[in-house]
């Protein structure tokens, strides 16, 4: 006989058979529940007692599940709420998630999916205080934009909805994704990051979904994919805009069906994964241009966060600079260095096109160049991109001064190096800046001998 967990779930459905099925399933999990048939009845229960989870059908006699989701978000925001949707009602599920639902389950209800959902929700409810603990990852700063991002992270961590993280290269999108994972009920499960632009297109399906032994040349053993590796946890798709059209279709199906089919397999494998994605591209623009599927865009962009660029974070530049300087000095065993007032002023005045990543790289270089215990502006080596561009544009080719091939190679090398510098050596971002593909940039790096 299951022992009661001491937590109660509110079940809202106007069909007696469904209410009974859900009640029996919860009882077998050792969970007590109250049953309601209408929105008004559910509201009365919510006002009278505390629930660890509300599980509601979409269609109810006096309203719908989304009405109840919004009511709970407004008046009982500490109660996770999940909705039961009709089979294939993806738009309805997305609408519920956007309204603040913790998760959804489709009819006919698969008991394993229901158990997973309830377990995750109860874990969240039971560990709300624990999830406020300090993470080993830190989003430093005291500016308004960064405080707002921290508030959004705490809110998004309570949901199972797919979230999209936008922002320029080097702003810390992966850090935000890791914090969402660490503050969520999935924190004790894997966080699997993947750079979508770094996987060759012909290997993508195998990398994402796995493959069976013998399914293609070189498949000498069964291999799980990234979805299986992240099962129970979070899959972070960085540079999701780099996915080719064929893979976008397969990714959409995997997200909607919560299952993947390994290459060479006859059957799909169920996976329980939360999707977080990011890119520095404007996904809405790519959708408008027909370069990114609209249905996938709406599916991964249920909740959106935008990480602010460093130039919009005011005094955070100084706080971050001092943090990086201490950490890098300790790692290099150089003794504690300090930044002069002039160096701090130079950092605050600089635009940092490469954002936080460029700031860290700048200080790492300054530590290596500094000859005393104080870093001066000359040690920082801050560039003036506008000035450099103007200087480069004024140079003209003088026939006879050097072979044309050498001149063109030098110009190409300078352009590639400048793009890499501006993006803090992020090759995917540099390729976009140059207007070429990632593969073309990789070829040019090899041709020009740039490491």
């Amino acid at each position: 006989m299951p022992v009661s967990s001491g937590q109660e779930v509110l079940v809202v459905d106007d069909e007696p058979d469904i209410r009974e099925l859900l009640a029996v399933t919860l009882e077998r999990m050792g969970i007590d529940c109250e049953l309601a048939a209408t929105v008004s009845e559910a509201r009365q229960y919510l006002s009278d007692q505390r629930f660890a989870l509300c599980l509601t059908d979409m269609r109810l006699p006096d309203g719908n599940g989304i009405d109840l989701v919004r009511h709970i978000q407004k008046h009982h925001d500490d109660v996770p709420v999940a909705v039961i949707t009709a089979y294939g009602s993806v738009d309805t599920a997305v609408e519920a998630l956007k309204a603040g639902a913790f998760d959804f389950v489709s009819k006919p209800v698969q008991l394993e999916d229901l158990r997973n959902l309830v377990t995750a929700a109860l874990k969240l409810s039971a560990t709300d205080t624990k999830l406020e603990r300090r993470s080993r990852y830190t989003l430093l700063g005291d500016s308004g934009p960064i405080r707002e991002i921290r508030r959004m992270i705490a809110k998004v961590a309570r949901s199972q909805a797919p979230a999209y993280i936008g922002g320029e290269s080097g702003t810390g999108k992966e850090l935000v994704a890791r914090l969402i994972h660490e503050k969520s009920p999935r924190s004790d499960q894997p966080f699997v990051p993947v750079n979508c632009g770094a996987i060759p297109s012909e290997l993508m399906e195998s990398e994402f979904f796995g493959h069976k032994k013998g399914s293609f040349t070189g498949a000498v053993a069964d291999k799980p994919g990234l979805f299986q590796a992240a099962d129970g946890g979070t899959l972070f798709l960085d540079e999701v805009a780099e996915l080719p059209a064929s893979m976008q279709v397969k990714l959409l199906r995997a997200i909607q069906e919560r299952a993947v089919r390994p290459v060479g397999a006859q059957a799909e494998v169920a996976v329980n994964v939360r999707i977080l994605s990011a890119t520095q591209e404007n996904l809405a623009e790519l959708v408008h241009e027909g370069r990114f599927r609209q249905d996938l865009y709406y599916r991964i962009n249920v909740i959106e966060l935008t990480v602010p660029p460093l130039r919009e974070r005011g005094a955070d530049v100084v706080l971050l600079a001092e943090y990086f300087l201490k950490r890098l000095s300790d790692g290099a065993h150089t003794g504690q260095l300090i930044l002069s007032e002039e160096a701090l002023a130079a950092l605050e005045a600089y635009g940092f096109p490469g954002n936080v990543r460029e700031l860290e790289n700048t200080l790492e270089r300054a530590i290596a160049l500094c000859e005393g215990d104080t870093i001066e502006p000359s040690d920082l080596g801050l560039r003036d991109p506008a000035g450099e561009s103007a200087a480069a544009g004024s140079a003209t080719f003088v026939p006879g001064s050097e072979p044309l091939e050498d001149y063109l190679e030098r110009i190409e090398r300078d352009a590639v190096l400048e793009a890499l510098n501006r993006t803090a050596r992020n090759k995917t971002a540099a390729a976009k800046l140059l207007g070429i593909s990632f593969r073309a940039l990789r070829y040019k790096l090899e041709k020009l001998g740039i490491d």
Side-chain angles (χ1 to χ4, degrees), residues 53-182:
L53 168 68
C54 175
L55 187 60
T56 178
D57 190 23
M58 281 300 296
R59 293 187 177 182
L60 296 165
D62 57 343
N64 61 49
I66 293 178
D67 293 335
L68 189 55
V69 170
R70 293 192 177 113
H71 173 80
I72 291 173
Q73 282 289 296
K74 185 175 181 180
H75 301 285
H76 313 279
D77 63 355
D78 58 336
V79 180
V81 54
V83 296
I84 303 171
T85 65
Y87 176 74
S89 301
V90 175
D91 291 343
T92 304
V94 170
E95 187 183 356
L97 292 170
K98 283 184 178 293
F102 168 77
D103 205 349
F104 70 94
V105 62
S106 298
K107 290 181 177 179
V109 177
Q110 301 297 315
L111 295 186
E112 187 59 31
D113 291 342
L114 177 62
R115 290 190 194 99
N116 287 338
L117 184 154
V118 171
T119 300
L122 296 186
K123 185 176 178 185
L124 175 65
S125 184
T127 58
D128 270 348
T129 304
K130 181 184 174 186
L131 294 177
E132 293 303 318
R133 69 192 183 282
R134 181 176 292 277
S135 166
R136 63 194 177 101
Y137 299 102
T138 307
L139 192 61
L140 293 174
D142 197 40
S143 61
I146 217 67
R147 286 201 304 269
E148 174 61 17
I149 280 290
R150 282 199 293 263
R151 186 189 70 80
M152 284 293 295
I153 287 170
K155 186 174 181 180
V156 172
R158 289 181 53 82
S159 170
Q160 298 290 289
Y164 167 70
I165 305 165
E168 297 176 8
S169 176
T171 51
K173 296 186 290 295
E174 182 173 339
L175 173 59
V176 168
R178 287 185 180 275
L179 283 166
I180 291 172
H181 171 76
E182 284 212 345

Side-chain angles (χ1 to χ4, degrees), residues 205-252:
E205 189 171 0
S206 171
E207 286 294 312
F208 275 97
F209 308 139
H211 63 249
K212 304 296 287 183
K213 178 181 178 180
S215 56
F216 55 84
T217 303
V220 296
D222 290 356
K223 178 191 171 187
L226 294 164
F227 269 83
Q228 293 97 317
D231 194 25
T234 303
L235 181 61
F236 174 54
L237 305 177
D238 198 8
E239 297 303 341
V240 70
E242 296 291 320
L243 290 173
S246 59
M247 192 62 205
Q248 290 178 32
V249 177
K250 292 167 183 171
L251 177 61
L252 176 63

